[in-house]
Amino acid sequence: MNGSSALMAIAHIFFCYILFSSFNKPFGYGAIVAEKSKSHTIPSICSGPETGLRVVHKYGPCSPFGLNRTAATSSQILVQDEHRVHVLNSRSHKRRTGGGKKKGGGRRRTGGGKKKGKEEAVTELDLLNDSIGAANYLVEVGFGTPAKYFNLALDTGSYITWVRCQRCTGSSCPQQHNESLYYPSSSSTSSNAPCYPLCTYTQPYLDHSYAIGFFVADTVSIEHEDEIPGFVFLCSDEQAGDFGKADGILGLGLGSASVDFGSYSLTSMFDNVFCHCLPTSDKSMGYVYFGDKAHEKCPFSGSYTPLLTGSDPSLYFVNLIAITIGQTRVEISSDGSSPRAIIDSGTVITRLPSSVYSALRTEFQRLMSGYPSALPDHSLDTCYNLEGYNDPEIPMVLHFENLDVSLDQAAVTSKGNGRSQVCLAFAEKENEDDLTIIGNHQQQNLNILYNIPDQRVEIGPGSCL
């Protein structure tokens, strides 16, 4: 065989291979080729539960994004956290004073259409939290049939679940689906949601980002084994700004007392009971369980604190009465008005009244007197350089009404501006009438079970190390 013949033979073989391969792929006008959707493969270095909805840290090796936590990202987390705290307080203050929704708040559009110019009066419903915050804890949830999995920010301060999506039909759909988007038209179980309370929704944020979407009813897969048919969630087909790489929000907050959300609320699908454990280490995973599994996996520790009615019906209010650091107990006074403390998985750093924070900081400084001080890290103003030193062990207990909670050691301090620096992981409230917020940093490695029908929160040692 001469060189020319050999070249022609090779070309013929290659052509046949391409032709044969094409038989296994759809083609033709309007055909849609969807990439195979797989859940995130957990690296072997990660430990975690074999069942349940797994919780990972956005900057840990178990994260689907492969991000590295640096001094810059630590500062960014604190900036995003301050923004979320500001928005929570603004929303709470508005509700306490009976004021109208602030300029730039969520609006509903008439008729379920896509025209942005026609807007009705501002709705009273805060369907999305006004700030996603740092979004540093993620869970993986499946949408549609077959299920396509997305990484959502775990948020007990929001009660509507939403996911990035694209609305299209037939030839208007892309030939290759974007794996980060949910397509209602590609799910055999999707349907139009009832237009109550809203058909479409626009959510602006204070940092000038926004999310616009419409409600969809579809099957949602939780824990890779529980399927919820007909669950209603927000399909956000237009966004602008920084949403922390999350594909959306898993809303586990309380609903509005004036609206029966029914299938809009994920917790209501499981008798309004769920529990979570947020991982202590970036190298580990936590979990979320719902309904009977929540009672089984987060067993009753013998004590609980009551859920209280506060200024914002979507938030979990409790009565925090004191904090013990070392051997010093710091009391938190109550003026007898509505409760001012909430538990929020979307806020990172706990915010305390100025007098309480001052006393806590003074005792922390005394216990850390043997370590060299370091520069503040944004909102964390009491920091030390541990280079060449062992990590300190400072016991701390949160005293709620009828419940004492010992914090994990990693929940007392926060590392930033280099891993050798630690700071007291608490901050002072900007205004005395702001909310006292128990952030997710202090919730690490705790089983926190929300029992809404019995109006109580059970908190005990977790097992998500």
Side-chain angles (χ1 to χ4, degrees):
M1 179 181 296
N2 59 33
S4 177
S5 299
L7 185 61
M8 291 181 62
I10 292 172
H12 179 73
I13 293 171
F14 179 75
F15 174 78
C16 291
Y17 170 77
I18 295 297
L19 184 62
F20 176 80
S21 299
S22 68
F23 291 155
N24 293 321
K25 298 184 180 183
F27 55 92
Y29 181 77
I32 297 175
V33 181
E35 298 174 11
K36 186 176 181 181
S37 176
K38 293 183 179 180
S39 62
H40 172 52
T41 301
I42 304 300
S44 59
I45 62 173
C46 298
S47 61
E50 295 182 358
T51 62
L53 192 59
R54 291 172 171 174
V55 182
V56 300
H57 196 284
K58 182 169 67 174
Y59 291 103
C62 302
S63 168
F65 305 135
L67 301 174
N68 293 320
R69 184 165 184 168
T70 64
T73 56
S74 294
S75 295
Q76 182 183 22
I77 287 172
L78 295 175
V79 170
Q80 293 168 330
D81 196 45
E82 282 192 346
H83 178 244
R84 179 184 175 91
V85 168
H86 172 71
V87 170
L88 283 175
N89 283 314
S90 297
R91 195 174 78 184
S92 178
H93 178 72
K94 176 203 67 179
R95 291 179 180 272
R96 287 201 314 274
T97 58
K101 192 170 181 70
K102 58 186 175 294
K103 185 179 179 180
R107 296 175 182 266
R108 60 179 177 180
R109 286 179 282 158
T110 60
K114 293 205 68 177
K115 293 183 179 180
K116 301 177 188 176
K118 294 183 178 182
E119 293 186 335
E120 291 182 345
V122 176
T123 176
E124 291 294 326
L125 303 175
D126 293 308
L127 292 184
L128 297 178
N129 201 340
D130 288 1
S131 172
I132 196 172
N136 55 348
Y137 283 109
L138 302 170
V139 293
E140 196 177 57
V141 178
F143 292 83
T145 304
K148 185 176 181 180
Y149 287 87
F150 298 92
N151 299 291
L152 308 183
L154 178 66
D155 192 356
T156 58
S158 301
Y159 50 88
I160 290 293
T161 294
W162 68 274
V163 67
R164 299 176 191 267
C165 75
Q166 182 171 342
R167 175 166 40 183
C168 64
T169 56
S171 60
S172 67
C173 292
Q175 294 293 311
Q176 187 76 15
H177 278 186
N178 185 332
E179 274 294 278
S180 65
L181 298 177
Y182 160 76
Y183 293 82
S185 60
S186 295
S187 171
S188 63
T189 50
S190 70
S191 62
N192 293 326
C195 290
Y196 179 83
L198 299 169
C199 289
T200 57
Y201 193 77
T202 304
Q203 176 61 58
Y205 296 84
L206 293 181
D207 61 358
H208 305 297
S209 60
Y210 63 85
I212 298 174
F214 57 97
F215 284 97
V216 173
D218 204 345
T219 297
V220 172
S221 300
I222 301 293
E223 303 179 9
H224 295 266
E225 51 192 52
D226 288 328
E227 292 187 348
I228 307 170
F231 178 68
V232 178
F233 55 93
L234 190 70
C235 178
S236 179
D237 58 351
E238 184 178 340
Q239 314 92 25
D242 180 16
F243 288 89
K245 291 188 177 294
D247 297 323
I249 288 179
L250 180 67
L252 299 181
L254 293 165
S256 169
S258 61
V259 178
D260 179 12
F261 277 87
S263 56
Y264 291 81
S265 168
L266 180 62
T267 58
S268 69
M269 300 292 176
F270 296 93
D271 299 323
N272 284 312
V273 174
F274 71 96
C275 77
H276 66 65
C277 182
L278 306 181
T280 299
S281 170
D282 288 354
K283 293 184 179 180
S284 64
M285 292 188 296
Y287 47 79
V288 181
Y289 292 101
F290 297 91
D292 292 339
K293 288 183 182 177
H295 287 295
E296 175 189 348
K297 300 296 184 178
C298 301
F300 183 44
S301 61
S303 298
Y304 65 87
T305 191
L307 272 175
L308 307 175
T309 301
S311 55
D312 189 329
S314 66
L315 302 176
Y316 294 100
F317 282 85
V318 292
N319 187 14
L320 180 65
I321 59 178
I323 300 177
T324 294
I325 177 172
Q327 300 299 317
T328 301
R329 179 180 170 112
V330 181
E331 300 292 336
I332 301 177
S333 62
S334 174
D335 59 7
S337 60
S338 62
R340 307 295 309 128
I342 66 168
I343 302 177
D344 180 37
S345 70
T347 300
V348 179
I349 300 298
T350 290
R351 264 59 178 193
L352 297 171
S354 58
S355 60
V356 176
Y357 176 73
S358 178
L360 198 71
R361 179 178 57 188
T362 297
E363 181 61 16
F364 181 76
Q365 290 170 332
R366 188 188 70 80
L367 294 171
M368 295 290 291
S369 59
Y371 299 87
S373 60
L375 293 174
D377 186 7
H378 205 71
S379 57
L380 304 181
D381 61 10
T382 308
C383 303
Y384 294 86
N385 185 357
L386 296 187
E387 188 171 359
Y389 293 86
N390 295 325
D391 289 345
E393 293 187 7
I394 299 178
M396 184 175 289
V397 180
L398 302 184
H399 303 282
F400 298 93
E401 179 183 344
N402 196 47
L403 177 65
D404 296 334
V405 178
S406 296
L407 296 185
D408 190 277
Q409 192 59 51
V412 177
T413 58
S414 176
K415 294 184 177 181
N417 284 343
R419 305 301 285 178
S420 63
Q421 176 173 315
V422 297
C423 304
L424 177 63
F426 293 78
E428 180 180 4
K429 296 196 297 186
E430 186 175 335
N431 301 298
E432 284 305 302
D433 62 346
D434 286 348
L435 294 167
T436 295
I437 305 175
I438 311 301
N440 62 42
H441 192 81
Q442 280 64 46
Q443 299 175 39
Q444 294 177 106
N445 202 32
L446 293 173
N447 280 342
I448 302 181
L449 186 143
Y450 296 85
N451 188 330
I452 300 170
D454 292 339
Q455 288 294 289
R456 69 191 200 185
V457 181
E458 302 168 14
I459 307 177
S463 56
C464 59
L465 286 172

